[in-house]
Amino acid sequence: DQQVKQNSPSLSVQEGRISILNCDYTNSMFDYFLWYKKYPAEGPTFLISISSIKDKNEDGRFTVFLNKSAKHLSLHIVPSQPGDSAVYFCAASPPLISNFGNEKLTFGTGTRLTIIP
Amino acid sequence: ETGVTQTPRHLVMGMTNKKSLKCEQHLGHNAMYWYKQSAKKPLELMFVYSLEERVENNSVPSRFSPECPNSSHLFLHLHTLQPEDSALYLCASSQDGVQPQHFGDGTRLSIL
């Protein structure tokens, strides 16, 4: 059973418009959420994160929103640029309580974003 | 070099072969990870090493054998693999288990 779900395998957005990527999770123990971006033939690159004590985190064109009651997070990219075309992975981790074993990342299956020039 | 480097980038092997994947991180991190990404599936955590000691084995078959000789290097030794083991294998590192993890570009493994 997937604990982190990205229900849209693909999304196409016009350049300059807003891209909204969604992610749902089922495990209420998740405490920290991340978005990674992956280009073909490269490893995932960290993009932005949010702690469960916040409901919004912004970094330039990227904003992540967290709705804990709905167990839902979203990534907004505005304005979208051609270089944003990639696969975006949502990931979640439980609290880092003590020693290792608590920092496991659980990933979604990814959403392929295509920005149309 | 900076970041996390994985070699080889591509590997084709038969089911009876023995090979090793290598990962090296230049970030001064003390934790390293192996992930497997199969087609249309999420990244799956395989192993976690902290300060060169294995702290997590996520029910991985024994035909995968990790080795962490020091905090900068991580190996994944492969033997008698199955066709379903064909996947992208990603290495990552972090400091003290704190996110985010930094990933290498992966090894694309094909089992004939």
Side-chain angles (χ1 to χ4, degrees):
Chain A
D1 183 37
Q2 271 186 259
Q3 297 186 60
V4 177
K5 297 178 184 178
Q6 294 177 257
N7 292 318
S8 299
S10 63
L11 176 68
S12 293
V13 174
Q14 205 76 33
E15 181 180 359
R17 298 289 186 101
I18 184 170
S19 295
I20 301 176
L21 296 101
N22 294 302
C23 178
D24 297 293
Y25 61 96
T26 57
N27 189 340
S28 57
M29 292 299 293
F30 287 145
D31 180 70
Y32 195 74
F33 304 88
L34 306 91
W35 284 95
Y36 280 84
K37 174 180 179 180
K38 185 180 184 301
Y39 291 119
E42 294 184 14
T45 303
F46 170 71
L47 193 57
I48 193 170
S49 62
I50 188 166
S51 165
S52 61
I53 62 173
K54 302 174 101 174
D55 54 20
K56 177 182 174 181
N57 188 26
E58 192 172 350
D59 183 3
R61 295 185 299 113
F62 302 91
T63 304
V64 56
F65 294 91
L66 176 62
N67 182 334
K68 288 185 289 294
S69 59
K71 294 192 179 66
H72 176 82
L73 65 155
S74 60
L75 174 68
H76 293 210
I77 307 173
V78 56
S80 301
Q81 300 174 353
D84 297 329
S85 294
V87 177
Y88 289 79
F89 292 97
C90 170
S93 78
L96 186 65
I97 300 171
S98 57
N99 292 327
F100 289 88
N102 292 327
E103 82 296 359
K104 292 196 299 185
L105 277 180
T106 301
F107 283 84
T109 50
T111 296
R112 182 176 300 279
L113 176 65
T114 303
I115 305 302
I116 304 164
Chain B
E1 284 195 61
T2 58
V4 181
T5 305
Q6 289 186 243
T7 55
R9 293 297 309 277
H10 301 273
L11 179 61
V12 180
M13 56 187 284
M15 288 191 283
T16 58
N17 291 156
K18 289 185 181 181
K19 295 284 184 184
S20 296
L21 309 185
K22 179 183 175 182
C23 176
E24 184 173 0
Q25 59 96 1
H26 307 272
L27 300 167
H29 290 163
N30 58 12
M32 296 186 79
Y33 312 80
W34 279 117
Y35 285 86
K36 174 185 179 183
Q37 186 182 21
S38 304
K40 301 204 191 307
K41 287 188 175 181
L43 275 76
E44 302 170 59
L45 180 67
M46 300 174 73
F47 299 104
V48 179
Y49 273 83
S50 164
L51 300 170
E52 298 121 62
E53 287 195 18
R54 189 191 310 180
V55 295
E56 183 79 21
N57 176 349
N58 213 23
S59 303
V60 180
S62 59
R63 56 185 183 270
F64 294 91
S65 174
E67 178 191 1
C68 189
N70 55 62
S71 60
S72 298
H73 294 86
L74 185 66
F75 295 89
L76 188 62
H77 304 298
L78 316 171
H79 63 99
T80 59
L81 294 194
Q82 304 299 309
E84 62 265 28
D85 297 324
S86 296
L88 178 68
Y89 289 85
L90 289 159
C91 172
S93 70
S94 74
Q95 182 61 25
D96 297 328
V98 176
Q99 306 298 350
Q101 294 173 14
H102 296 260
F103 285 83
D105 288 337
T107 295
R108 175 71 61 187
L109 177 65
S110 299
I111 306 301
L112 300 179

